[in-house]
Amino acid sequence: MKLILATSKFCGPCHLLKRKLQDDKLEVETIDMEEHIDKFRHYGVRSVPRLLVVENDEVTEVIQGSDEIIKKIKEHAKD
């Protein structure tokens, strides 16, 4: 299972989430909309921040919104 955080340079909540991830030292791939539009299209991301749970290159869960993303990240950190 892989976690991917979809972000944008112009998204305030995205910056806060990225800092939280760095502070917690969790393994979450971050993709920026302006730099990786091909990945955004591949995973069907239309808004940020969004956390994707990916297994075998298939999105199995989508979490939107800072509070919900933080909950999922904490849950993943316990595993």
Side-chain angles (χ1 to χ4, degrees), residues 62-79:
V62 177
I63 299 98
Q64 188 170 347
S66 300
D67 293 338
E68 294 301 314
I69 290 172
I70 288 171
K71 284 181 197 174
K72 184 66 176 181
I73 288 169
K74 286 182 180 179
E75 177 185 306
H76 182 70
K78 291 178 185 176
D79 294 342

Side-chain angles (χ1 to χ4, degrees), residues 14-75:
C14 296
H15 291 288
L16 295 174
L17 284 169
K18 285 197 272 188
R19 277 191 231 135
K20 170 109 180 96
L21 293 172
Q22 289 171 344
D23 291 346
D24 291 350
K25 297 182 174 121
L26 296 176
E27 289 187 35
V28 178
E29 179 183 347
T30 303
I31 57 172
D32 187 275
M33 182 173 16
E34 289 79 22
E35 295 174 13
H36 301 285
I37 193 70
D38 56 328
K39 284 188 178 184
F40 265 63
R41 287 185 184 132
H42 174 76
Y43 291 119
V45 175
R46 294 177 190 226
S47 62
V48 292
R50 185 170 283 200
L51 184 72
L52 308 171
V53 179
V54 179
E55 295 182 45
N56 300 321
D57 204 36
E58 300 256 343
V59 177
T60 58
E61 188 176 359
V62 177
I63 299 98
Q64 188 170 347
S66 300
D67 293 338
E68 294 301 314
I69 290 172
I70 288 171
K71 284 181 197 174
K72 184 66 176 181
I73 288 169
K74 286 182 180 179
E75 177 185 306

